[in-house]
Amino acid sequence: MYRIAVLGDRDSIYGFAALGLDVYPVTTSEEGGRTLRKLAEGEYAVIYITEALAAELEHELDRYRELPLPAIIPIPGVTGNTGMGIKMVKKSVEQAVGSDIIFGDD
């Protein structure tokens, strides 16, 4: 059975443990990259990652973009929304469709 993980800084992800999700607090992008690889190769179908960490690991995330699993989904951290989540969705749509379907200011 697949599981759901949440990866990011402790303050941003701690509350997800109350929902029964597996939380993996990290303090550096290097630690985040190692943990992401471990989770992606394991039994996790969904990995939520804070936008701040996702921005630091964008090259790592590109590796998993075309794979069916895991789905790696950026979420806002305690500092708020950075726009990284919509940027990743836009990039995935452009790749799948071949053009930008989201109009508006970048």
Side-chain angles (χ1 to χ4, degrees):
M1 183 171 185
Y2 290 116
R3 301 172 67 163
I4 301 173
V6 186
L7 179 63
D9 64 277
R10 181 174 170 73
D11 291 339
S12 296
I13 68 170
Y14 188 72
F16 288 96
L19 300 174
L21 305 180
D22 298 336
V23 295
Y24 293 89
V26 296
T27 55
T28 66
S29 60
E30 292 80 18
E31 181 184 10
R34 283 192 306 272
T35 305
L36 176 63
R37 286 187 296 276
K38 183 181 94 176
L39 296 174
E41 294 167 5
E43 57 189 30
Y44 290 93
V46 177
I47 301 171
Y48 292 106
I49 183 170
T50 58
E51 289 180 332
L53 184 58
E56 294 177 19
L57 299 178
E58 194 165 358
H59 63 283
E60 288 278 341
L61 298 178
D62 287 341
R63 174 185 305 173
Y64 303 105
R65 188 174 316 283
E66 294 184 25
L67 299 176
L69 291 177
I72 301 176
I73 303 166
I75 57 173
V78 293
T79 57
N81 186 351
T82 66
M84 180 70 178
I86 193 68
K87 178 182 171 190
M88 289 183 67
V89 168
K90 183 177 178 180
K91 191 173 184 179
S92 293
V93 168
E94 286 175 358
Q95 184 176 1
V97 176
S99 67
D100 182 6
I101 64 167
I102 301 173
F103 301 104
D105 297 334
D106 285 340

